[in-house]
Amino acid sequence: GAGKSSLVLGTLMRNIEARLKGTSQGNPRGRRKKFHACSAIDGADEVEQLYLIDRRPVAKSSVSMPASYLDVFGELRDLYAQLPEAQMAGLTARNFSLSAEGGRCDECRGRGEVALSMRFLSDARVRCPVCEGKRYQPPVLGVTFNGINIAQALDLTIDEALETFASHRMIVRRLQPARALGLGYLKMGQPSASLSGGEAQRLKMVPFLTKRMAAGTVLLMDEPTTGLHFDDVVRLLDQLRHLVSLGATIILIEHNSDVICAADWLVDLGPGSAEDGGQLVY
């Protein structure tokens, strides 16, 4: 309640967004209620790209999972489609998709589970009785790489997948940043909706770790250390420094003392909360 989110998300982000979209600065039309107009933001013209890495779910579809979010699933489908067993069976990469018919289980539509309607409670989800949670039809499951089929590949953790597919440079390249952020324990195929807010936020960081930032790129993060073990905070700081080395400017809303000590610049708001907040303390 000291005013950190109001300053960073309500004022800084909303006004710069409005400028990037070509609307007048401070014009709240069409914006959410948490939009605070201001007379000017010095240096705003130097911002070319603005991204918010928040704790909202990353799920984009009912079959969204870490493997698809990290752009690894397409590589896996291509790999399995090129294997001799797939070629002999006439299978293509489309047959290994969970979004298209032809290879996925028809009963659960590639989800591995089905919903049971409960009369007075929320629907219950149980393992699909047809594919037994494997998501695919038998012909697809008969194609194996290093002794595992694609359903078993999706059941691997990111750490395990890095070992299993170590010979495939692109898969390794796209998974390594997730392990560097301490997400190696996530299963490749677990539903994105099952991720915690902190896991979703760190997963959203991964695409930024593999590309050079254009001048004027600003990343906003809202308390990324919430719920993290102190070892994971150290990993997070390492990757934040890496992002800065790539050319990004990072603005964080934080309480964690390790992050505060690592900051190049500090803005302390308060001195209290609610009516006693909102003042520049330091």
Side-chain angles (χ1 to χ4, degrees), residues 83 108 137 173 192 220 233:
L83 295 174
C108 65
Q137 298 175 17
R173 179 183 175 186
S192 294
L220 307 178
V233 173

Side-chain angles (χ1 to χ4, degrees), residues 224-236:
T225 64
T226 300
L228 293 189
H229 186 275
F230 109 104
D231 285 341
D232 287 326
V233 173
V234 173
R235 292 184 177 187
L236 176 66

Side-chain angles (χ1 to χ4, degrees), residues 17-278:
E17 275 185 339
R19 186 192 66 80
L20 291 174
K21 292 179 179 179
T23 58
S24 60
Q25 196 176 61
N27 179 7
R29 288 185 301 173
R31 308 303 303 175
R32 290 184 290 181
K33 290 182 179 179
K34 290 185 178 180
F35 183 103
H36 307 291
C38 60
S39 58
I41 299 178
D42 293 341
D45 290 340
E46 297 179 27
V47 179
E48 299 296 333
Q49 294 176 310
L50 181 71
Y51 300 97
L52 172 62
I53 304 176
D54 59 14
R55 303 170 67 86
R56 289 182 293 181
V58 299
K60 296 181 180 179
S61 70
S62 60
V63 292
S64 176
M65 52 190 169
S68 58
Y69 188 83
L70 298 174
D71 289 332
V72 172
F73 192 37
E75 299 291 334
L76 286 175
R77 297 199 308 269
D78 290 340
L79 169 62
Y80 276 90
Q82 293 169 6
L83 295 174
E85 297 160 295
Q87 297 283 323
M88 292 174 61
L91 300 176
T92 66
R94 178 182 174 85
N95 296 114
F96 292 90
S97 172
L98 293 174
S99 301
E101 297 179 357
R104 69 182 184 182
C105 173
D106 292 329
E107 179 69 19
C108 65
R109 300 174 67 84
R111 297 179 181 88
E113 57 184 20
V114 293
L116 289 181
S117 179
M118 308 293 285
R119 189 164 185 175
F120 299 109
L121 301 171
S122 299
D123 289 351
R125 306 199 70 85
V126 298
R127 178 181 294 183
C128 175
V130 176
C131 67
E132 297 182 340
K134 296 177 182 177
R135 307 186 188 188
Y136 290 97
Q137 298 175 17
V140 175
L141 296 175
V143 180
T144 60
F145 173 81
N146 284 350
I148 64 171
N149 58 39
I150 192 165
Q152 292 168 324
L154 293 177
D155 201 43
L156 297 175
T157 64
I158 289 175
D159 284 339
E160 292 169 341
L162 279 167
E163 296 179 8
T164 302
F165 301 101
S167 60
H168 292 268
R169 182 176 57 85
M170 191 58 68
I171 292 178
V172 171
R173 179 183 175 186
R174 291 177 176 172
L175 290 180
Q176 278 181 333
R179 178 161 68 178
L181 283 168
L183 296 174
Y185 62 89
L186 292 181
K187 287 194 173 185
M188 298 266 285
Q190 74 180 79
S192 294
S194 70
L195 302 179
S196 69
E199 289 168 339
Q201 190 172 32
R202 283 183 287 162
L203 200 62
K204 290 178 182 179
M205 284 181 61
V206 172
F208 296 99
L209 296 173
T210 57
K211 63 182 180 181
R212 179 161 293 279
M213 302 293 168
T217 298
V218 176
L219 306 180
L220 307 178
M221 301 185 72
D222 189 359
E223 300 192 32
T225 64
T226 300
L228 293 189
H229 186 275
F230 109 104
D231 285 341
D232 287 326
V233 173
V234 173
R235 292 184 177 187
L236 176 66
L237 280 172
D238 286 341
Q239 298 309 309
L240 291 178
R241 293 188 183 98
H242 176 63
L243 286 171
V244 172
S245 73
L246 293 176
T249 294
I250 302 177
I251 300 175
L252 301 112
I253 300 169
E254 261 300 346
H255 295 98
N256 184 279
S257 59
D258 290 329
V259 176
I260 291 172
C261 289
D264 296 309
W265 299 89
L266 194 61
V267 177
D268 194 7
L269 296 180
S273 59
E275 293 179 357
D276 296 324

